[in-house]
């Protein structure tokens, strides 16, 4: 483990390759391309910076873990090691652990007041701003009012344009909250019911599936409609020009599901974008409006979201950031080399499950409007924030919202990840903090939001 961390912290291709060749089982070296392994660990280094070991733990005779903390980024990163049973116990796998945060004694001391939280976060941002490890915007609000609104890094490196509080980022799957809000609005008007079957709205959908799946199932990712693993389906949806095109693609490729003929609703949560495409189509059918127009008129406008964008073709949004990624556009795996630019402009149609672009300020306006009753009645919001299905231990899904049990109390929100962008929106109802992080880098939004969560631990 120590040798691995030394190689990782070097950030040098030769050092990491030397470690891999000297420690991994020969079959691993035969089966996994070296470039793939190098790209994976260099990407981790680029996102977390140097790390130091804090906790070692034996999990089994052949499995062990180490919790590390970024010396600059302060990010917690866990690594799990799997060894062969026989000597010399070479490594068969190293997994990046995304388990629970380490024990309280290892965490940062909590910030006791909003001003203390703002002060400590400003100090941290001053330091990390001198490094390449974070590019984006951070907003923290208490009782709906910002106590910190900072931006770091470049919105476009080639043009030397800095990120600013009015920079627009793709918010990826945070967009699902907008879909569920629209559904709730239509339910309030009596135009649909959460127990309505899919067949009521989209009769051309395969009947033996549509007669089982309800709006509730779509909202909670329990519909069993999952097509993301089918390459041809993804190619088809990439060319979509409307929400209806997405649904037509589903209908075309559903027969490729293994359980198509004997389809039954699953017993558990399985995250999927297909359900939210169906919800967007239901919104169009019930409201008799284009999905994007509905959101502009019924959510963006009343929430006074001035810089948010949902769909554009010819004119790019003002202050739009450029994304930076090391992911392969074909399969999403890490690639060697400097991060490449990702521009969402000119891609035309944006998927309703992740296509909204926003500033941190506009996202706060949206969430404040939800909490203050400007967009929904209290009962509707309560239903959205209810734990409808278990995701994992201490984690649940509501209607377009993830609900976590944390050391800082209940946390309600959503994360998002798109190639070159990462995002997070967290609301802590017990202490009334809202945390919004939008980035034009892969993965780093979660790390920044988790740091704020650590500072909030023990404050309630």
């Amino acid at each position: 483990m120590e040798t691995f961390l030394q190689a990782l912290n070097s950030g040098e291709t030769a050092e990491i390759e030397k470690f891999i060749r000297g420690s991994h089982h020969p079959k691993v070296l035969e089966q996994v391309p070296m470039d793939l392994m190098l790209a994976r660990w260099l990407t981790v280094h680029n996102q977390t910076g140097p790390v130091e070991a804090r906790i070692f733990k034996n999990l089994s005779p052949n499995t062990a873990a180490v919790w590390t903390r970024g010396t600059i980024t302060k990010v917690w990163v866990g690594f799990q090691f799997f060894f062969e049973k026989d000597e010399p116990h070479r490594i068969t796998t190293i997994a990046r652990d995304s388990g629970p945060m380490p024990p309280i004694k290892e965490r940062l001391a909590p910030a006791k007041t909003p001003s203390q939280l703002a002060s400590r976060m400003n100090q941290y941002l001053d330091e990390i701003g001198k490094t390449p490890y974070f590019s984006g915007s951070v907003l923290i609000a208490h009782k709906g009012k910002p106590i910190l609104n900072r931006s770091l890094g470049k919105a476009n490196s080639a043009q030397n344009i800095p990120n600013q509080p009015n920079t627009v980022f793709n918010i990826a799957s945070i967009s699902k909250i907008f879909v569920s809000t629209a559904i709730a609005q239509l339910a309030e008007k009596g135009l649909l019911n959460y127990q309505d079957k899919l067949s009521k709205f989209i009769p051309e959908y395969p009947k033996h599936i549509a007669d089982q799946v309800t709006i509730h199932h779509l909202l909670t990712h329990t519909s069993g409609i999952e097509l993301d693993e089918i390459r041809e389906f993804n190619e088809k949806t990439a060319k979509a020009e409307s929400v209806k095109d997405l649904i037509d693609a589903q209908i075309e490729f559903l027969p490729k599901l293994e359980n198509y003929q004997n389809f039954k609703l699953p017993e558990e949560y399985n995250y999927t974008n297909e359900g939210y495409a169906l919800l967007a189509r239901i919104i169009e059918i019930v409201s008799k409006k284009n999905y994007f127009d509905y959101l502009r008129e019924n959510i963006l406008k009343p929430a006074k979201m001035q810089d948010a964008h949902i769909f554009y073709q010819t004119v790019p949004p003002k202050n739009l950031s450029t994304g930076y990624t090391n992911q392969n556009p074909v399969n999403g795996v890490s690639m060697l080399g400097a991060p490449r630019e990702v521009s969402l402009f000119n891609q035309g149609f944006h998927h309703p499950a992740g296509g909204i672009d926003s500033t941190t300020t506009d996202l706060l306006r949206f969430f404040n409007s939800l909490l203050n009753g400007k967009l929904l009645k209290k009962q509707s919001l309560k239903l959205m924030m209810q734990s409808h299905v278990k995701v994992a231990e201490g984690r649940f899904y509501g209607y377009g919202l993830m609900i976590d049990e944390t050391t800082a109390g209940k946390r309600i929100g959503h994360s998002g990840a798109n190639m070159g962008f990462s995002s997070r929106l967290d609301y802590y109802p017990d202490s009334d903090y809202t945390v919004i992080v939008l980035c034009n880098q892969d993965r780093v939004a979660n790390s920044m939001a988790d740091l704020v969560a650590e500072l909030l631990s023990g404050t309630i």
Side-chain angles (χ1 to χ4, degrees), residues 173-420:
S173 284
I174 293 177
S175 303
K176 290 180 173 66
I177 309 176
F178 289 74
V179 179
S180 61
T181 300
I183 288 288
Q185 289 178 338
L186 296 172
E188 285 183 354
K189 295 176 182 177
L191 297 176
L192 56 79
N193 186 285
Y194 291 107
Q195 300 308 317
D196 283 341
K197 302 287 179 60
L198 180 56
S199 54
K200 177 179 178 180
F201 307 100
I202 309 178
E204 66 270 27
Y205 213 82
K207 185 175 174 59
H208 69 293
I209 297 177
D211 279 346
Q212 296 183 61
V213 174
T214 66
I215 288 175
H216 168 86
H217 295 131
L218 297 174
L219 285 166
T220 56
H221 301 287
T222 55
S223 70
I225 300 172
E226 171 62 82
L227 297 167
D228 286 347
E229 299 300 318
I230 301 173
R231 179 176 56 82
E232 297 87 353
F233 170 76
N234 293 327
E235 291 173 352
K236 185 95 172 186
T237 56
K239 299 175 183 177
E241 296 181 357
S242 67
V243 174
K244 186 178 184 303
D245 285 350
L246 295 175
I247 308 311
D248 289 344
Q250 289 189 30
I251 294 171
E252 179 182 347
F253 288 97
L254 276 169
K256 288 186 175 289
L257 290 178
E258 289 185 8
N259 64 337
Y260 177 73
Q261 296 296 338
N262 302 304
F263 182 88
K264 291 183 180 179
L265 285 169
E267 298 295 327
E268 57 188 24
Y269 165 94
N270 184 16
Y271 190 84
T272 168
N273 286 331
E274 282 73 79
Y276 276 73
L278 286 163
L279 290 167
R281 183 60 182 152
I282 291 171
I283 292 166
E284 290 188 332
I285 291 166
V286 171
S287 69
K288 297 181 173 57
K289 293 181 180 179
N290 174 280
Y291 168 74
F292 306 103
D293 291 337
Y294 179 90
L295 257 60
R296 285 191 193 95
E297 294 172 20
N298 296 278
I299 296 179
L300 270 67
K301 186 175 180 180
K304 297 182 180 179
M305 299 178 71
Q306 301 168 359
D307 297 306
H309 299 266
I310 304 175
F311 180 61
Y312 46 84
Q313 288 181 308
T314 57
V315 181
K318 186 179 179 181
N319 303 322
L320 181 65
S321 64
T322 299
Y324 293 90
T325 184
N326 281 103
Q327 294 180 63
N328 187 318
V330 176
N331 53 24
V333 301
S334 297
M335 297 188 306
L336 286 171
R340 65 181 184 87
E341 288 190 1
V342 179
S343 176
L344 298 182
F345 177 59
N346 281 336
Q347 288 189 11
F349 176 76
H350 278 193
H351 197 294
I356 295 177
D357 306 302
S358 179
T359 63
T360 51
T361 301
D362 265 1
L363 263 187
L364 180 64
R365 289 186 180 119
F366 163 67
F367 208 75
N368 281 346
S369 296
L370 270 181
L371 297 176
N372 297 335
K374 291 182 180 179
L375 299 177
L376 292 176
K377 296 176 182 177
K378 287 185 178 180
Q379 188 59 35
S380 296
L381 182 60
K382 183 179 179 181
L383 198 60
M384 278 179 63
M385 294 183 169
Q386 184 177 326
S387 298
H388 291 290
V389 58
K390 186 174 182 178
V391 176
E393 195 62 39
R395 170 165 279 201
F396 305 86
Y397 206 83
Y399 286 164
L401 288 163
M402 192 72 75
I403 299 100
D404 292 307
E405 297 171 357
T406 77
T407 53
K410 181 181 287 188
R411 181 174 65 199
I412 302 169
H414 216 290
S415 62
N418 211 337
M419 200 163 288

Side-chain angles (χ1 to χ4, degrees), residues 121 125 134 136-140 148-150 360 436-437 448:
M121 279 303 298
L125 293 172
F134 181 83
S137 294
V138 183
L139 186 152
I140 303 174
L148 179 145
N149 194 3
R150 292 275 304 273
T360 51
I436 298 169
V437 184
M448 182 65 72

Side-chain angles (χ1 to χ4, degrees), residues 3-4 18-25 29 83-84 88-92 94:
T3 308
F4 166 71
K18 180 182 177 182
F19 165 78
I20 292 171
R21 293 194 183 280
S23 63
H24 283 59
H25 195 283
L29 300 177
F83 305 94
E84 62 177 338
H89 308 297
R90 288 165 296 193
I91 295 170
T92 57
I94 305 176

